Amino acid sequence: MSEEQNRAHTSASCRITFDCKGLRGAQSGWWREGFGVGFDEEWGALRSEAATRPVTPVVDAYEVARAAALQRLADFRDGIVLVPSDELGGPWTTQLHGLDWICAFSDEEALYRFAVARDEVGREWPYRRIGGARLLDEVLPALDFPCGVAFNAAGPDGAVFPPVRGIVPDAVALDGGRAA
Protein backbone atom coordinates (compact mmCIF):
# COMPACT_ATOMS: atom_id res chain seq x y z
CA MET A 1 0.00 0.00 0.00
CA SER A 2 1.43 3.38 -0.96
CA GLU A 3 1.75 6.22 1.50
CA GLU A 4 -1.08 8.10 -0.20
CA GLN A 5 -3.37 5.06 -0.06
CA ASN A 6 -2.42 4.50 3.57
CA ARG A 7 -3.32 8.12 4.46
CA ALA A 8 -6.64 7.86 2.62
CA HIS A 9 -7.49 4.55 4.30
CA THR A 10 -6.50 5.84 7.74
CA SER A 11 -8.43 9.07 7.45
CA ALA A 12 -11.51 7.27 6.08
CA SER A 13 -11.61 4.64 8.83
CA CYS A 14 -10.96 7.12 11.65
CA ARG A 15 -13.46 9.79 10.74
CA ILE A 16 -16.45 10.05 13.07
CA THR A 17 -19.36 12.40 13.41
CA PHE A 18 -21.72 13.16 16.27
CA ASP A 19 -25.42 13.73 15.88
CA CYS A 20 -28.39 13.71 18.23
CA LYS A 21 -28.62 9.90 18.04
CA GLY A 22 -25.05 9.21 19.21
CA LEU A 23 -21.75 8.23 17.67
CA ARG A 24 -21.69 7.26 13.98
CA GLY A 25 -18.81 5.92 11.88
CA ALA A 26 -18.57 7.70 8.56
CA GLN A 27 -16.91 5.00 6.46
CA SER A 28 -17.21 1.78 8.36
CA GLY A 29 -20.17 -0.16 9.66
CA TRP A 30 -18.90 -0.66 13.23
CA TRP A 31 -21.66 1.47 14.70
CA ARG A 32 -24.19 -1.11 13.56
CA GLU A 33 -22.47 -3.74 15.70
CA GLY A 34 -23.54 -2.31 19.04
CA PHE A 35 -21.66 0.98 19.05
CA GLY A 36 -24.44 3.07 17.56
CA VAL A 37 -26.61 3.19 20.68
CA GLY A 38 -28.05 6.61 21.23
CA PHE A 39 -27.66 8.62 24.41
CA ASP A 40 -31.21 7.95 25.60
CA GLU A 41 -30.83 4.19 25.22
CA GLU A 42 -27.42 4.12 26.93
CA TRP A 43 -28.58 6.37 29.78
CA GLY A 44 -31.67 4.18 30.27
CA ALA A 45 -29.50 1.04 30.44
CA LEU A 46 -27.15 2.63 32.98
CA ARG A 47 -30.07 3.76 35.16
CA SER A 48 -31.62 0.28 35.05
CA GLU A 49 -28.34 -1.31 36.08
CA ALA A 50 -27.83 1.23 38.88
CA ALA A 51 -31.35 0.55 40.21
CA THR A 52 -30.54 -3.14 40.70
CA ARG A 53 -27.09 -2.61 42.24
CA PRO A 54 -27.04 -2.77 46.07
CA VAL A 55 -26.45 0.55 47.78
CA THR A 56 -23.17 0.74 49.67
CA PRO A 57 -23.49 3.04 52.69
CA VAL A 58 -20.97 5.82 53.12
CA VAL A 59 -18.64 5.05 56.03
CA ASP A 60 -17.92 7.88 58.44
CA ALA A 61 -14.52 7.17 60.04
CA TYR A 62 -15.38 9.29 63.09
CA GLU A 63 -18.56 7.32 63.75
CA VAL A 64 -16.74 4.00 63.29
CA ALA A 65 -14.06 5.03 65.82
CA ARG A 66 -16.68 6.38 68.22
CA ALA A 67 -18.67 3.15 68.06
CA ALA A 68 -15.50 1.11 68.67
CA ALA A 69 -14.60 3.25 71.71
CA LEU A 70 -18.11 2.94 73.14
CA GLN A 71 -18.02 -0.83 72.62
CA ARG A 72 -14.63 -1.01 74.38
CA LEU A 73 -16.06 0.95 77.32
CA ALA A 74 -19.13 -1.33 77.44
CA ASP A 75 -16.91 -4.42 77.43
CA PHE A 76 -14.83 -2.96 80.28
CA ARG A 77 -17.94 -2.12 82.31
CA ASP A 78 -19.31 -5.66 81.83
CA GLY A 79 -16.04 -7.40 82.75
CA ILE A 80 -14.13 -8.23 85.90
CA VAL A 81 -10.69 -6.63 86.19
CA LEU A 82 -7.67 -7.11 88.42
CA VAL A 83 -6.65 -3.97 90.34
CA PRO A 84 -3.29 -4.10 92.13
CA SER A 85 -3.32 -2.89 95.75
CA ASP A 86 -0.95 -0.35 97.27
CA GLU A 87 0.72 -0.75 100.69
CA LEU A 88 -2.41 0.48 102.45
CA GLY A 89 -4.74 -1.91 100.61
CA GLY A 90 -6.22 0.76 98.34
CA PRO A 91 -6.05 0.74 94.56
CA TRP A 92 -2.50 1.19 93.25
CA THR A 93 -2.24 4.38 91.17
CA THR A 94 0.37 6.03 89.04
CA GLN A 95 0.57 9.58 87.80
CA LEU A 96 0.87 10.59 84.17
CA HIS A 97 0.67 14.17 82.88
CA GLY A 98 -0.61 15.46 86.21
CA LEU A 99 -3.50 12.99 86.51
CA ASP A 100 -3.68 9.87 88.66
CA TRP A 101 -4.61 6.57 87.03
CA ILE A 102 -5.72 3.31 88.60
CA CYS A 103 -4.08 0.47 86.70
CA ALA A 104 -6.50 -2.36 85.95
CA PHE A 105 -5.81 -5.59 84.06
CA SER A 106 -7.89 -8.15 82.23
CA ASP A 107 -5.90 -11.10 83.61
CA GLU A 108 -2.67 -12.09 85.37
CA GLU A 109 -0.77 -12.25 82.07
CA ALA A 110 -1.56 -8.57 81.40
CA LEU A 111 -0.47 -7.69 84.96
CA TYR A 112 2.76 -9.65 84.40
CA ARG A 113 3.50 -7.68 81.16
CA PHE A 114 3.06 -4.50 83.18
CA ALA A 115 5.47 -5.74 85.90
CA VAL A 116 8.04 -6.65 83.22
CA ALA A 117 7.71 -3.20 81.60
CA ARG A 118 8.33 -1.58 85.01
CA ASP A 119 11.20 -3.99 85.76
CA GLU A 120 9.37 -5.09 88.93
CA VAL A 121 8.85 -8.79 88.25
CA GLY A 122 10.46 -9.85 91.54
CA ARG A 123 8.06 -7.99 93.80
CA GLU A 124 4.68 -9.23 94.95
CA TRP A 125 1.65 -7.72 93.20
CA PRO A 126 -1.41 -8.23 95.42
CA TYR A 127 -4.64 -7.43 93.60
CA ARG A 128 -8.40 -7.46 93.95
CA ARG A 129 -10.99 -8.53 91.42
CA ILE A 130 -13.65 -5.91 90.79
CA GLY A 131 -16.31 -5.23 88.20
CA GLY A 132 -15.39 -2.57 85.65
CA ALA A 133 -18.66 -0.70 86.19
CA ARG A 134 -18.14 -0.71 89.95
CA LEU A 135 -14.60 0.63 89.52
CA LEU A 136 -15.84 3.53 87.38
CA ASP A 137 -19.12 4.25 89.20
CA GLU A 138 -18.20 3.64 92.86
CA VAL A 139 -14.43 3.50 93.43
CA LEU A 140 -13.42 6.55 91.40
CA PRO A 141 -16.10 8.80 92.94
CA ALA A 142 -15.02 7.68 96.45
CA LEU A 143 -11.48 9.01 95.89
CA ASP A 144 -10.68 12.53 97.04
CA PHE A 145 -8.74 13.31 93.86
CA PRO A 146 -9.54 13.06 90.12
CA CYS A 147 -8.49 9.69 88.75
CA GLY A 148 -8.90 7.70 85.54
CA VAL A 149 -8.36 4.04 84.71
CA ALA A 150 -5.47 2.72 82.62
CA PHE A 151 -6.59 -0.69 81.36
CA ASN A 152 -3.97 -3.27 80.34
CA ALA A 153 -1.15 -0.72 80.40
CA ALA A 154 1.99 -2.03 78.67
CA GLY A 155 -0.08 -4.38 76.53
CA PRO A 156 -1.09 -4.36 72.88
CA ASP A 157 -4.75 -3.95 73.79
CA GLY A 158 -4.42 -1.14 76.32
CA ALA A 159 -6.98 1.60 76.78
CA VAL A 160 -7.53 4.60 79.03
CA PHE A 161 -10.78 5.71 80.57
CA PRO A 162 -10.32 9.31 81.73
CA PRO A 163 -12.55 10.84 84.39
CA VAL A 164 -14.91 12.58 81.98
CA ARG A 165 -18.68 12.59 81.42
CA GLY A 166 -19.90 9.42 79.78
CA ILE A 167 -17.25 7.33 81.54
CA VAL A 168 -17.61 8.29 85.20
CA PRO A 169 -20.57 9.89 87.01
CA ASP A 170 -21.03 13.54 86.02
CA ALA A 171 -20.51 14.74 89.60
CA VAL A 172 -16.86 13.56 89.56
CA ALA A 173 -16.08 14.14 85.89
CA LEU A 174 -13.40 16.73 85.14
CA ASP A 175 -15.68 18.19 82.50
CA GLY A 176 -18.69 17.96 84.81
CA GLY A 177 -19.27 18.87 88.45
CA ARG A 178 -15.84 18.47 90.08
CA ALA A 179 -12.89 20.77 89.35
CA ALA A 180 -9.36 19.41 89.02
Side-chain angles (χ1 to χ4, degrees):
M1 180 180 292
S2 72
E3 189 175 322
E4 184 178 347
Q5 288 173 326
N6 188 25
R7 256 189 311 226
H9 177 72
T10 303
S11 65
S13 63
C14 291
R15 200 172 339 149
I16 57 173
T17 58
F18 294 91
D19 63 18
C20 64
K21 302 252 185 205
L23 181 66
R24 305 279 189 224
Q27 295 292 323
S28 64
W30 58 266
W31 64 274
R32 292 185 190 125
E33 299 165 9
F35 291 101
V37 177
F39 176 80
D40 293 337
E41 292 87 3
E42 186 173 349
W43 181 249
L46 288 172
R47 287 181 53 149
S48 295
E49 181 213 334
T52 61
R53 195 176 326 134
V55 176
T56 305
V58 176
V59 177
D60 182 355
Y62 171 79
E63 286 302 321
V64 169
R66 184 176 186 281
L70 290 174
Q71 183 61 52
R72 183 68 187 249
L73 176 61
D75 291 345
F76 178 81
R77 288 180 145 289
D78 289 342
I80 301 293
V81 296
L82 311 180
V83 177
S85 302
D86 65 11
E87 327 54 68
L88 302 174
W92 186 84
T93 62
T94 188
Q95 195 172 75
L96 181 64
H97 300 294
L99 185 63
D100 287 296
W101 298 87
I102 291 176
C103 294
F105 302 93
S106 58
D107 53 31
E108 289 179 347
E109 184 181 323
L111 177 56
Y112 177 76
R113 278 194 310 263
F114 181 72
V116 168
R118 293 183 52 87
D119 198 25
E120 296 186 39
V121 177
R123 86 170 183 93
E124 186 178 8
W125 286 87
Y127 61 83
R128 293 181 183 204
R129 294 180 193 276
I130 186 170
R134 184 168 179 223
L135 182 61
L136 295 173
D137 297 340
E138 296 175 25
V139 175
L140 292 182
L143 299 174
D144 59 354
F145 54 92
C147 190
V149 175
F151 181 60
N152 285 344
D157 58 343
V160 293
F161 301 110
V164 295
R165 287 181 293 153
I167 296 178
V168 299
D170 289 353
V172 295
L174 293 178
D175 60 342
R178 178 165 74 176

